[in-house]
């Protein structure tokens, strides 16, 4: 299994993406995520698709995202739509607030029934239990806990 980590630079880490297991992908978008980060995300997801043999499960930590500009929001919808076939399930953890409403709209427009937005970490993990084994759930749980330490 190959794992990879991607960030745009040491100065502005927009995108953290790591394949933790053959079926689990961890994604975190930083507070400076913008048009540049969108391009980086698209590139890294294309790499992931090129090496994937079956759909994967995403755990996405977007708690530190600002409200996205319309161009970034629209770009994210396009990326998610393009990746629908490569995704079995995706739990998108946003915390709370206006970003929850924005991400809910983005996920709805991307039109994949296996994607859901959560403002509660345990609920997001429960959503993934159908697709991940207990070891992978522990990896996802640890990933979500990292940014709260």
């Amino acid at each position: 299994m190959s794992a990879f980590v991607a960030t745009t630079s040491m100065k502005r880490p927009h995108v953290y993406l790591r394949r933790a297991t053959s079926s689990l992908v961890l994604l975190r978008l930083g507070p400076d995520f913008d048009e540049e980060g969108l391009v980086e995300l698209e590139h890294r997801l294309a790499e992931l698709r090129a090496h994937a043999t079956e759909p994967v499960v995403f755990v996405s930590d977007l708690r530190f995202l600002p409200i996205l500009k319309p161009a970034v929001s629209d770009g994210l919808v396009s990326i998610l739509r393009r990746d629908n076939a490569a995704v079995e399930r995706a739990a998108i953890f946003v915390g709370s607030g206006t970003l929850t409403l924005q991400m809910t709209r983005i996920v709805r427009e991307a039109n994949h029934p296996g994607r859901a937005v959560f403002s509660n970490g345990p609920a997001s993990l429960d959503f993934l239990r159908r697709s991940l084994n207990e070891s992978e759930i522990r990896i996802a749980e640890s990933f979500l806990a990292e940014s709260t330490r």
Side-chain angles (χ1 to χ4, degrees), residues 87-143:
V87 175
E88 178 182 338
R89 273 177 113 56
I92 301 167
F93 185 38
V94 293
S96 61
T98 307
L99 182 63
T100 301
L101 297 173
Q102 187 178 41
M103 288 308 301
T104 299
R105 180 193 60 79
I106 289 168
V107 167
R108 183 180 60 246
E109 289 181 16
N111 196 28
H112 186 298
R115 280 195 186 100
V117 176
F118 296 91
S119 59
N120 176 298
S124 65
L125 295 173
D126 286 344
F127 174 75
L128 298 173
R129 285 189 193 282
R130 195 168 89 181
S131 300
L132 299 176
N133 63 40
E134 281 306 310
S135 174
E136 291 167 324
I137 290 292
R138 284 192 299 277
I139 291 168
E141 187 174 36
S142 176
F143 172 70

Side-chain angles (χ1 to χ4, degrees), residues 17-125:
L17 180 69
R18 180 170 68 95
R19 187 163 196 154
T21 69
S22 61
S23 59
L24 176 62
V25 177
L26 308 173
L27 171 67
R28 182 173 289 124
L29 301 179
D32 294 327
F33 187 77
D34 57 10
E35 291 87 349
E36 181 184 329
L38 194 62
V39 171
E40 179 69 14
L41 178 62
E42 189 167 23
H43 173 73
R44 295 303 175 185
L45 289 172
E47 283 182 32
L48 180 71
R49 279 192 315 273
H51 294 92
T53 57
E54 57 188 57
V56 295
V57 176
F58 276 84
V59 176
S60 301
D61 182 357
L62 310 184
R63 286 178 283 182
F64 303 105
L65 274 184
I67 299 304
L68 301 174
K69 295 178 188 176
V72 176
S73 176
D74 292 345
L76 202 48
V77 169
S78 295
I79 289 171
L80 293 180
R81 278 185 190 148
R82 188 174 312 119
D83 284 347
N84 276 347
V87 175
E88 178 182 338
R89 273 177 113 56
I92 301 167
F93 185 38
V94 293
S96 61
T98 307
L99 182 63
T100 301
L101 297 173
Q102 187 178 41
M103 288 308 301
T104 299
R105 180 193 60 79
I106 289 168
V107 167
R108 183 180 60 246
E109 289 181 16
N111 196 28
H112 186 298
R115 280 195 186 100
V117 176
F118 296 91
S119 59
N120 176 298
S124 65
L125 295 173

